[in-house]
Amino acid sequence: MARPQMLKLAEVLTEIDMSRAAFYRLRARGSAPRLFKLPNGQLRVRRSDLDDWLARCEAAAA
């Protein structure tokens, strides 16, 4: 079984065209995709979590 793709926070921010501050505001409200903190302190987002989050945002906008 393949491991899920993990994206760096900077990659996520570039893909969704959002500032880090705006992303953290969403996160504080519980409205952002789940972040994982690696043992070295870096943050990652699963590709599947990001895709699900984007789909929910599109559905809410429709």
Side-chain angles (χ1 to χ4, degrees), residues 13-55:
L13 296 175
T14 299
E15 184 171 330
I16 63 176
D17 193 26
M18 183 179 286
S19 71
R20 184 177 295 265
F23 183 86
Y24 278 109
R25 282 193 300 271
L26 282 176
R27 187 171 181 234
R29 288 183 253 162
S31 302
R34 184 173 178 197
L35 290 175
F36 294 91
K37 192 173 206 175
L38 300 179
N40 63 4
Q42 294 182 1
L43 299 173
R44 296 288 189 270
V45 176
R46 279 192 185 111
R47 164 54 68 188
S48 59
D49 289 345
L50 179 61
D51 290 342
D52 291 345
W53 177 78
L54 287 170

